[in-house]
Amino acid sequence: NFMLTQPHSVSESPGKTVTISCTRSSGSIASNYVQWYQQRPGSSPTTVIYEDNQRPSGVPDRFSGSIDSSSNSASLTISGLKTEDEADYYCQSYDSSSVVFGGGTKLTVL
Amino acid sequence: QVQLVESGGGVVQPGRSLRLSCAASGFTFSSYGMHWVRQAPGKGLEWVAVISYDGSNKYYADSVKGRFTISRDNSKNTLYLQMNSLRAEDTAVYYCAKEDTAMENWGQGTLVTVSS
């Protein structure tokens, strides 16, 4: 089994760009798709990125995802930050017959 | 629209059992795999179990293997989680989620509190 490690928290100002990383501990980041979920306080998670870099309909194009094999990590980038983007973000991938979540990153927009 | 509604949560003593349900609507339930994911108070998401569209394949997190059983009734569009030998560390909000290219739809969750 592998782990997905995310920074505990990040903060940035409105209008700026922030990137949240998700590093896979073993095995290639490219071997299984990575998803990203947003969870606002008191709400259920919603998908913002699936299959590494795909956006569900309704998710603004300010959200983008990528993977980097050299660092064995995935990244979620949010540009043109808005206060409504303040939330917890979780990366997620698969490991043979199980699902792995990262520990989550609290994004503060101030 | 897709709707997932969990129920069955509550306060239960350690060692006892509880069964959660997830009523699905707005999509062809029998065509999709389904997950249970939990979130302890103030903590992150933890995957619990997954079941294939027809119930033939089931996988569990190590933390619940042998104690929890995932099942589904496609005639009732309902997903279940039977939880036995509950422990304090099982205290969490339990979400059901529909699997497609991701866990693309989630319910509102049901709170399970294991306490004496």
Side-chain angles (χ1 to χ4, degrees):
Chain A
N1 284 9
F2 63 88
M3 293 171 43
L4 296 172
T5 300
Q6 301 179 231
H8 181 69
S9 63
V10 295
S11 62
E12 191 49 271
S13 303
K16 300 292 190 179
T17 296
V18 70
T19 297
I20 299 171
S21 62
C22 171
T23 302
R24 178 166 169 157
S25 61
S26 62
S28 171
I29 192 69
S31 60
N32 304 94
Y33 283 129
V34 175
Q35 283 61 239
W36 290 90
Y37 302 94
Q38 175 192 67
Q39 186 179 32
R40 294 190 173 108
S43 296
S44 303
T46 62
T47 309
V48 292
I49 294 290
Y50 67 95
E51 292 182 351
D52 296 341
N53 55 18
Q54 302 298 303
R55 271 180 293 105
S57 60
V59 173
D61 60 6
R62 301 185 296 106
F63 289 80
S64 63
S66 64
I67 62 168
D68 180 356
S69 295
S70 65
S71 60
N72 213 34
S73 64
S75 294
L76 172 68
T77 299
I78 310 171
S79 59
L81 275 169
K82 301 184 177 184
T83 55
E84 68 204 47
D85 298 331
E86 188 161 289
D88 294 326
Y89 292 86
Y90 296 90
C91 60
Q92 173 259 309
S93 191
Y94 300 94
D95 178 16
S96 61
S97 57
S98 69
V99 172
V100 181
F101 281 100
T105 299
K106 180 176 180 59
L107 170 62
T108 301
V109 182
L110 39 65
Chain B
Q1 72 284 16
V2 173
Q3 198 167 14
L4 299 169
V5 180
E6 300 94 338
S7 60
V11 180
V12 61
Q13 294 179 327
R16 304 298 290 264
S17 299
L18 205 60
R19 188 178 83 155
L20 306 182
S21 299
C22 168
S25 60
F27 67 103
T28 305
F29 181 70
S30 59
S31 296
Y32 291 89
M34 296 292 296
H35 295 267
W36 285 102
V37 177
R38 68 185 181 183
Q39 187 169 36
K43 302 296 184 182
L45 301 174
E46 179 188 14
W47 174 75
V48 173
V50 63
I51 187 168
S52 59
Y53 69 100
D54 61 354
S56 61
N57 293 297
K58 306 173 186 181
Y59 301 101
Y60 300 91
D62 288 344
S63 58
V64 306
K65 202 171 293 182
R67 299 188 300 124
F68 289 12
T69 301
I70 189 171
S71 63
R72 65 191 298 159
D73 186 336
N74 285 346
S75 69
K76 296 182 178 179
N77 289 347
T78 303
L79 174 73
Y80 302 102
L81 185 68
Q82 177 68 43
M83 304 185 295
N84 298 332
S85 304
L86 282 161
R87 307 166 179 167
E89 54 264 36
D90 296 319
T91 294
V93 173
Y94 285 73
Y95 298 99
C96 61
K98 169 179 170 277
E99 168 73 28
D100 194 346
T101 52
M103 294 181 195
E104 63 174 23
N105 301 96
W106 298 62
Q108 85 290 347
T110 186
L111 176 62
V112 173
T113 302
V114 184
S115 174
S116 54

